């Protein structure tokens, strides 16, 4: 791949859209093209959701000149500026203190692998865990030297404290200064028919992020998470590739934030060795961890020690936010989110492609929320609509996490939201996939709107993978705000489920998080146009109503929302 030069947004010239807007069939959108000014004088997009506009925005965001849109890089800065310019051009008002940018400071922490060590010993004899091969470890502490010394190991099952499920793996246990060992996913995965948690569908308690956070709250010095491919939904290669090298987190002052000194993953083979040395039957103990009444198990004779040497650098990125004020209830907000960032450029051998354009992931979602924002700008709703393009999703949902900690609109004034992440270019589908199906009353609005497109709702086919907890909406959900994460289906009107699943499998195998995720003029955009229209319709109905959807009874975020609405 060769760079094709900077896009027009970077040099003050025009980016030309393909054709006038087309009628979408929704009665709340205009179908005439919007006149444009300034740096984009030749660019034409219309208020109606259509293929030409989506293609224009996806092709621009996925262009080589944005260099993979990595946060805090020249390409990422340029891409976020282009999004802000688009928001201004299509009539969105600045959403953050008179600006389109909400600053997000990131901390890039690099582990000096040559000078660092972390190992488990049995009766003083190190096991010799090899970085990347047996274990991957790091620290999120904003410090150059982090140590753990002779920290006793204790197995805490799934490491979950979930009052609504009557579950507490840390009950009557003091782990201050100790190293906790735990399983990925949650007890419902191991016993899908037991009625525990949400059965085979992962809850937030099954996410590795939660487990590290809870261990830190409990005062653990270090965390060892046992990797198993099926409950994690990915292989060890993902662990060694994603958690080694420079790690990004939100920038905090030294001592700010709550983290264990060391966070780590270990392979199942090495975990089994550790259990055997401690005189424990791995299969029996881990099976017991999925049963009510489980009590932690001492891993007698095992200790963890480590000395981590970090270098840290603060980098500045930004969320991009635009608003269409409501006509009658402007203090109530409907939210659309998508992440604008991708992986950037990686060092590769000469002749190989190291530029990760992120066309599907997530130029498509960013294009969709801009398209939706343009439709609302032409026909404002009763409630305000916020279009939020967040940064650093690929680094751990950091832009949305920052928004969750620093909301622009109070959560009790945020009615609900929709997240759009990686729309596959397919033909029209009969179904709509709801990731995290059964979560909130937003699904009722979606079901009705989908039926008007002669479509039906289906749950995520792999709920055990916990995809609901792996995109930006979760950071709003953790604050109590009902969020919907839906995507185009696989039951295609032309080719059926076999064709749709083949497209999805091909993308995951050959393009996902790879340099081949590039825009093509050959894309079939019919499904993407229909899905974007559907998501607009759902938000429009919410924004033109007085409804306050909640999480369904039994959802882990229901209590938070109930408390917000009772204040």
């Amino acid at each position: 791949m060769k760079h094709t030069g900077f896009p027009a947004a970077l040099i003050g010239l025009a980016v030309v859209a393909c054709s006038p807007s087309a009628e979408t069939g929704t009665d709340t959108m205009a179908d005439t093209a919007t006149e444009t000014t300034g740096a984009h004088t030749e660019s034409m997009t219309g208020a109606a959701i259509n293929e030409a506009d989506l293609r224009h925005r996806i092709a621009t965001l996925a262009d080589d000149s944005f260099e993979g849109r990595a946060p805090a890089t020249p390409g990422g800065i340029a891409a976020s500026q282009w999004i802000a310019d688009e928001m201004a051009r299509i009539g969105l008002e600045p959403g953050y203190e008179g600006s389109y940018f909400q600053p997000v400071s990131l901390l890039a922490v690099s582990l000096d692998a040559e000078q660092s060590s972390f190992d488990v010993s049995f009766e003083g004899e190190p096991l010799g865990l090899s970085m990347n091969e047996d274990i991957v470890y790091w620290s999120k502490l904003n410090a150059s030297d982090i140590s753990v010394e002779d920290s006793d190991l204790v197995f805490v099952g799934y490491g979950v404290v979930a009052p609504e499920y009557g579950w507490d793996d840390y009950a009557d246990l003091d782990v201050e200064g100790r190293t906790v060992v735990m399983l990925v996913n949650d007890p419902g995965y191991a016993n899908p028919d037991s009625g525990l948690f949400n059965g085979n569908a992962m809850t937030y308690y099954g996410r590795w992020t939660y487990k590290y956070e809870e261990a830190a709250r409990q005062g653990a010095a270090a965390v060892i998470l046992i990797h198993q491919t099926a409950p994690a939904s990915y292989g060890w290669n993902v662990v060694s590739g994603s958690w080694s090298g420079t790690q990004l987190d939100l920038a905090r002052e030294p001592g700010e934030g709550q983290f264990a000194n060391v966070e780590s993953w270990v392979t199942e083979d090495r975990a089994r060795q550790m259990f055997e040395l401690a005189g424990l039957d791995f299969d029996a103990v881990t099976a017991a961890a999925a049963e009510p009444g489980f009590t932690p198990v001492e891993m007698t004779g095992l200790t963890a020690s480590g000395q981590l040497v970090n270098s840290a650098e603060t980098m500045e990125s930004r969320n991009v936010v635009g608003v269409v004020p409501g006509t009658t209830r402007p203090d109530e907000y409907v939210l659309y989110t998508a992440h604008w960032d991708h992986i950037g450029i990686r060092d590769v051998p000469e002749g190989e492609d190291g530029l990760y354009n992120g066309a599907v992931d997530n130029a498509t979602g960013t294009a969709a929320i801009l398209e939706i924002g343009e439709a609302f700008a032409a026909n404002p709703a009763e409630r305000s609509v916020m279009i939020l393009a967040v940064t650093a999703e690929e680094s751990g949902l950091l832009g949305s996490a920052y928004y969750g900690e620093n909301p622009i609109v109070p959560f009790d004034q945020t009615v609900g939201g929709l997240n759009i992440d990686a729309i596959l270019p397919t033909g029209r589908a009969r179904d709509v996939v709801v990731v995290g199906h059964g979560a909130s009353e937003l699904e009722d609005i979606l079901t009705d709107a989908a039926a008007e497109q002669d479509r039906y709702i289906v749950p995520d086919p792999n709920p055990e993978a916990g995809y609901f907890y792996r995109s930006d909406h979760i950071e709003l959900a953790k604050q109590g705000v009902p969020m919907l994460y839906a995507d185009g289906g696989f039951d295609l009107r032309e080719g059926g489920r076999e064709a749709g699943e083949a497209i999805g499998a091909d993308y995951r195998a050959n393009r996902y998080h790879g340099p081949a995720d590039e825009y093509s003029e050959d894309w079939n955009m019919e499904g993407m146009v229909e899905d974007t229209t559907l998501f607009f319709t759902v938000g429009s109905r919410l924004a033109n109503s007085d409804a306050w959807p909640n999480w369904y009874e039994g959802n882990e975020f229901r209590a938070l929302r109930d408390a917000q609405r009772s204040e």
Side-chain angles (χ1 to χ4, degrees), residues 86 96 112 163 179 216 240 248 287 324 336 350 405 412 449 484 502 527 529:
E86 275 290 275
Y96 179 74
D112 188 332
T179 295
S240 60
L248 290 182
V324 179
Y336 283 90
E350 186 175 354
E405 295 179 14
D412 61 1
L484 178 66
V529 172

Side-chain angles (χ1 to χ4, degrees), residues 155-230:
F155 176 63
V156 295
Y158 286 89
V160 168
V161 178
E164 68 271 34
Y165 294 118
W167 199 279
D168 187 352
D169 284 325
Y170 291 95
D172 303 319
L173 177 68
D174 182 4
V175 297
E176 189 76 33
R178 305 184 71 183
T179 295
V180 292
V181 180
M182 64 185 72
L183 298 165
V184 72
N185 217 305
D186 62 43
Y189 175 84
N191 291 311
D193 300 321
S194 65
L196 296 173
F197 288 71
N198 199 22
N200 197 42
M202 184 190 289
T203 66
Y204 179 60
Y205 300 110
R207 288 287 289 141
W208 57 269
T209 49
Y210 164 80
K211 295 172 185 294
Y212 293 132
E213 292 165 1
E214 186 60 48
R217 284 190 287 268
Q218 297 290 333
V223 188
I224 299 176
L225 187 55
I226 300 168
H227 174 264
Q228 294 173 293
T229 296

Side-chain angles (χ1 to χ4, degrees), residues 142-166:
N142 187 2
S144 56
D145 294 288
I146 302 102
S147 63
V148 173
E149 186 172 354
D150 296 330
S151 173
D152 293 333
L153 269 62
V154 56
F155 176 63
V156 295
Y158 286 89
V160 168
V161 178
E164 68 271 34
Y165 294 118

